[in-house]
């Protein structure tokens, strides 16, 4: 039996700080929820409204913000590596922690880092995650709300041809999983995963040593494919 997630709750002030807005603006979005689909409140603390933080972050991640649609990233070498804070700024987010929020609250929505640097000391180790500019540009072109899909972006790689009858214990990456699950793109697969629509793949079977990209066995991916087909 799957246990129900205990949501992290956030008030308007916290959400506003993360999104580069004012609490009044968050309240305004909630007032117009019938038009914009803003999440319902999850609880009340006195007179303060509290939202499920993950639901609100997902809503903002998929919202076609004009300032992001019109944002033109600065010219950089496609192979340049950017930290999470630098990537957030490069993509046009006011909140320098936006990429970190995606990684924490929406696994699979944002691309895995291209490089992970082990830092700190033996007693206090930490990792610095970095993304190539080209990885960010590819995601920016295909992210939900952009009006584009990965398959329609010029030069974007097509999903691979993955055999169903291969080794059931072979580890496959996101693009291969997307192909077996008959998604149109890696991004649509990642988005569905982040929304909890692929429960059998929420936990990966392994991560690659380089880039820390998640992998699943062909067996589990096919089990998820069968569950989706049965549900549909």
């Amino acid at each position: 039996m799957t246990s129900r997630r205990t949501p992290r709750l956030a008030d308007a002030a916290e959400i506003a700080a993360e999104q580069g807005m004012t609490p009044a603006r968050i309240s305004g979005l909630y007032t117009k929820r019938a038009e914009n689909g803003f999440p319902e409140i999850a609880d009340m603390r006195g007179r303060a409204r509290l939202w499920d933080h993950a639901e609100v972050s997902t809503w903002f991640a998929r919202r076609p913000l004009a300032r992001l649609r019109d944002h033109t990233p600065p010219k950089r070498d496609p192979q340049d590596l950017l930290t999470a804070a630098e990537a957030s700024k490069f993509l046009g987010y006011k909140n320098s922690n936006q990429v970190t929020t995606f990684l924490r609250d929406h696994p699979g929505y944002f691309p895995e880092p291209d490089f992970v640097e082990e830092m700190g000391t033996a007693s206090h180790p930490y990792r610095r995650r970095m993304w190539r500019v080209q990885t960010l540009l590819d995601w920016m072109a295909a992210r939900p709300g952009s009006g584009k899909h990965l398959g329609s972006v010029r030069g974007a790689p097509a999903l691979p041809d993955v055999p169903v009858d291969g080794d059931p214990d072979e580890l496959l990456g996101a693009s291969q999983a997307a192909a077996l699950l008959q998604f149109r793109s890696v991004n649509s697969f990642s988005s569905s995963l982040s929304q909890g629509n692929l429960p059998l793949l929420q936990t990966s079977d392994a991560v690659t040593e380089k880039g820390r990209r998640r992998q699943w066995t062909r067996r589990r991916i096919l089990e998820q494919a069968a569950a989706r087909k049965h549900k549909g």
Side-chain angles (χ1 to χ4, degrees), residues 88-122:
S88 298
K89 182 178 180 180
F90 178 83
L91 292 167
Y93 292 104
K94 291 183 178 180
N95 178 15
S96 63
N97 292 320
Q98 187 62 61
V99 166
T100 300
T101 299
F102 285 153
L103 295 173
R104 182 190 65 218
D105 295 338
H106 310 289
Y109 174 72
F110 197 76
E112 295 292 330
D114 294 298
F115 180 75
V116 179
E117 185 178 5
E118 303 290 344
M119 303 185 71
T121 64

Side-chain angles (χ1 to χ4, degrees), residues 7 12 21 23 25 31 40 56 61-62 71 74 81 94 100 113 115 174 176 204 214 218 226:
M21 297 180 172
R25 176 60 176 152
T31 300
E40 291 285 352
V56 173
R62 285 152 178 75
H71 173 70
L81 287 167
K94 291 183 178 180
T100 300
F115 180 75
Q176 295 163 308
S204 59
R214 294 186 295 172
R218 180 183 272 101

Side-chain angles (χ1 to χ4, degrees), residues 2-168:
T2 303
S3 59
R4 183 179 177 82
R5 170 179 73 90
T6 300
R8 172 191 165 194
L9 301 180
D11 60 15
E14 180 180 353
I15 295 168
E18 288 188 355
Q19 301 301 330
M21 297 180 172
T22 64
R25 176 60 176 152
I26 300 302
S27 296
L29 290 171
Y30 174 70
T31 300
K32 298 180 179 179
R33 62 190 180 282
E35 304 169 17
N36 59 33
F38 195 80
E40 291 285 352
I41 60 172
D43 202 351
M44 294 286 292
R45 183 180 299 155
R47 298 179 61 183
R49 301 185 182 108
L50 298 176
W51 285 270
D52 182 324
H53 182 269
E55 287 185 3
V56 173
S57 295
T58 297
W59 185 85
F60 274 106
R62 285 152 178 75
R63 185 185 180 210
L65 293 174
R67 65 179 175 81
L68 296 184
R69 285 200 309 268
D70 299 336
H71 173 70
T72 300
K75 294 209 178 279
R76 298 286 299 262
D77 186 316
Q79 297 305 310
D80 280 354
L81 287 167
L82 305 182
T83 64
E86 292 169 336
S88 298
K89 182 178 180 180
F90 178 83
L91 292 167
Y93 292 104
K94 291 183 178 180
N95 178 15
S96 63
N97 292 320
Q98 187 62 61
V99 166
T100 300
T101 299
F102 285 153
L103 295 173
R104 182 190 65 218
D105 295 338
H106 310 289
Y109 174 72
F110 197 76
E112 295 292 330
D114 294 298
F115 180 75
V116 179
E117 185 178 5
E118 303 290 344
M119 303 185 71
T121 64
S123 58
H124 296 90
Y126 69 93
R127 290 174 172 174
R128 181 167 65 178
R129 296 169 291 193
M130 306 185 79
W131 290 261
R132 289 191 176 88
V133 165
Q134 188 60 56
T135 299
L136 300 175
L137 291 173
D138 290 343
W139 180 83
M140 185 178 182
R143 67 184 169 201
S146 66
K148 301 177 182 178
H149 298 283
L150 189 59
S152 66
V153 178
R154 181 176 296 180
L159 292 177
D161 184 13
V162 185
V164 175
D165 55 355
D167 181 356

